Amino acid sequence: MSREFELCPGRRVGGEQPCFIIAEIGQNHQGDLAIAKRMIRMAKDCGADCAKFQKSELEYKFNKKALERPYTCKHSWGKTYGEHKRHLEFSHDQYRELKKYAEEIGIFFTASGMDEMAVEFLHELDVPFFKVGSGDTNNFPYLEKTAKKGRPMVISSGMQSMNTMHQVYQMVKPINPNFCFLQCTSAYPLQPEDVNLRVISAYQSAFPDIPIGYSGHETGIAISVAAVAMGAKVVERHVTLDKTWKGSDHQASLEPNELAELVKAIRTVEKAMGSPVKQLLPCEMACNEKLGKSVVAKVTIPEGAVLTLDMLTVKVGEPKGFPPEAIFDLVGQKVKKSIEEDETITEQAVENHAKKVKC
């Protein structure tokens, strides 16, 4: 069982805690502060635990040529990639406003720090935890500096190998024990055959002392629900108000009705996981009383006879008698009174029978 830690004030993850659901707004706000607030409200109304954005200090994330390269695709917000990214990037003051809004409506707020300077700002902003995007998981200087901030960390693993994830674990663990890994495949939208949910189990085996979660870019909710059934303690999904909006992430995002359905399905699955103890449950008693079978006489059995298997059969009987699993225990027992054909075998009819207690 993975250890627990407090990811946000008053909210623990891991162990038997409920799955922590992150609504990844990212840059699906189209660079519009009002839309961003609508999306935070949507995440709250749909039952997500956290609304998350992506924060970059562009000159620290990209080199000059990357920002100057032409960017003329249908999703572009500018003639160059730099212009495009600047349109989508909120200022520090706007981030403060968004965090304040999230606090006012009662949902946790954080962002992926997409470079070291962005992490510095988010630390100053006092976010509850740092999200490390897949693109920085093998950025070891960034990872070490982020871990040293002392805030809990959620680390995605898209584009990485198991060997790299072992290195990440070995680097972060001694500095900051409060972190988890998310299985992730960095494709938008993600095809089912590339999800590899079994990596969740591999991570659980390789890193048994940290929670494991899932960050998905697939369409629909079924795969994310399956991840929870496999033990994912954090689930992150991109969200949007409209999949037809301009932007490459919208198609791989959940609209409000889908996010609400995902939250509902995850909470249902968590209830359904239940207990590992297999036993007759109170809710099964009515069915057992109506349809549960008993040992009955296959033939007329005279008083004093020693029971043999060919004297016995199993049917839904009235009244209830010995359960079917007791039929072999009855063989060799003597009956105290005659039993008619098709009559239920009861304890009162069997001599010195010690009833076995079910464990």
Side-chain angles (χ1 to χ4, degrees):
M1 184 59 65
S2 65
R3 66 177 288 274
E4 295 181 17
F5 67 88
E6 189 175 67
L7 183 63
C8 297
R11 182 61 161 87
R12 301 179 68 79
V13 296
E16 296 301 319
Q17 298 296 325
C19 179
F20 188 85
I21 302 171
I22 300 172
E24 163 66 302
I25 295 168
Q27 294 190 322
N28 280 352
H29 48 69
Q30 313 299 81
D32 186 316
L33 196 68
I35 291 176
K37 289 182 178 180
R38 284 173 57 196
M39 296 184 77
I40 293 171
R41 168 58 75 176
M42 179 268 286
K44 167 68 176 178
D45 291 346
C46 291
D49 294 290
C50 179
K52 189 183 83 66
F53 289 77
Q54 295 174 5
K55 183 71 185 94
S56 299
E57 302 293 345
L58 296 178
E59 285 70 23
Y60 290 88
K61 181 179 178 182
F62 301 98
N63 71 9
K64 188 175 180 180
K65 287 186 177 180
L67 291 173
E68 290 175 349
R69 79 169 183 255
Y71 194 62
T72 56
C73 76
K74 65 179 181 178
H75 298 306
S76 175
W77 293 95
K79 293 180 181 180
T80 66
Y81 197 61
E83 289 179 6
H84 166 77
K85 295 300 289 185
R86 288 185 187 96
H87 174 83
L88 294 172
E89 196 64 47
F90 288 138
S91 69
H92 289 190
D93 283 343
Q94 287 174 316
Y95 261 89
R96 293 185 184 99
E97 186 175 341
L98 290 173
K99 182 172 183 283
K100 181 182 178 183
Y101 178 73
E103 290 169 347
E104 287 172 353
I105 67 171
I107 187 170
F108 294 117
F109 175 95
T110 195
S112 298
M114 309 300 279
D115 54 79
E116 291 180 17
M117 291 306 295
V119 170
E120 292 293 337
F121 167 67
L122 293 173
H123 186 56
E124 173 199 321
L125 191 63
D126 197 26
V127 295
F129 68 92
F130 292 129
K131 169 65 196 300
V132 177
S134 294
D136 281 305
T137 297
N138 61 348
N139 182 352
F140 292 157
Y142 163 99
L143 204 62
E144 185 176 39
K145 289 178 182 178
T146 302
K148 285 180 177 178
K149 296 295 184 186
R151 297 183 187 275
M153 300 168 67
V154 174
I155 304 173
S156 278
S157 61
M159 303 180 285
Q160 310 303 330
S161 67
M162 181 61 90
N163 181 60
T164 297
M165 298 312 295
H166 276 285
Q167 290 179 272
V168 171
Y169 175 89
Q170 290 161 6
M171 173 177 287
V172 174
K173 187 70 174 179
I175 303 170
N176 184 348
N178 296 327
F179 68 101
C180 63
F181 287 162
L182 307 186
Q183 161 55 0
C184 177
T185 302
S186 298
Y188 307 81
L190 174 60
Q191 298 304 309
E193 58 268 26
D194 293 322
V195 172
N196 295 324
L197 284 180
R198 287 192 176 97
V199 174
I200 293 174
S201 299
Y203 283 168
Q204 289 166 337
S205 296
F207 313 111
D209 59 346
I210 64 171
I212 302 301
Y214 174 70
S215 177
H217 306 123
E218 73 276 6
T219 56
I221 69 169
I223 290 170
S224 294
V225 174
V228 175
M230 292 182 69
K233 297 302 180 182
V234 176
V235 165
E236 176 186 68
R237 288 297 304 271
H238 285 251
V239 297
T240 182
L241 295 178
D242 189 335
K243 290 182 184 182
T244 67
W245 280 356
K246 183 166 72 173
S248 57
D249 283 354
H250 291 287
Q251 191 178 351
S253 301
L254 300 177
E255 291 183 339
N257 63 317
E258 293 175 300
L259 178 61
E261 186 61 29
L262 173 64
V263 173
K264 180 181 177 182
I266 286 174
R267 300 307 177 213
T268 299
V269 165
E270 289 176 327
K271 290 179 183 177
M273 295 301 287
S275 168
V277 178
K278 183 60 183 172
Q279 59 185 331
L280 178 67
L281 296 175
C283 65
E284 297 178 296
M285 293 303 296
C287 184
N288 188 58
E289 285 298 313
K290 182 179 180 181
L291 298 175
K293 294 187 175 181
S294 300
V295 179
V296 301
K298 193 174 185 179
V299 296
T300 298
I301 303 172
E303 180 182 342
V306 175
L307 293 172
T308 60
L309 192 59
D310 58 6
M311 296 178 182
L312 306 173
T313 190
V314 173
K315 294 183 178 183
V316 176
E318 183 61 41
K320 294 289 181 187
F322 287 97
E325 64 265 29
I327 192 168
F328 297 122
D329 296 329
L330 289 170
V331 172
Q333 301 292 321
K334 184 184 288 187
V335 297
K336 296 189 289 186
K337 63 176 185 177
S338 62
I339 304 171
E340 297 297 320
E341 179 184 347
D342 209 41
E343 186 179 344
T344 300
I345 308 294
T346 63
E347 289 186 51
Q348 293 75 22
V350 179
E351 192 173 275
N352 299 324
H353 183 80
K355 186 177 179 181
K356 291 189 175 181
V357 178
K358 287 187 181 181
C359 297

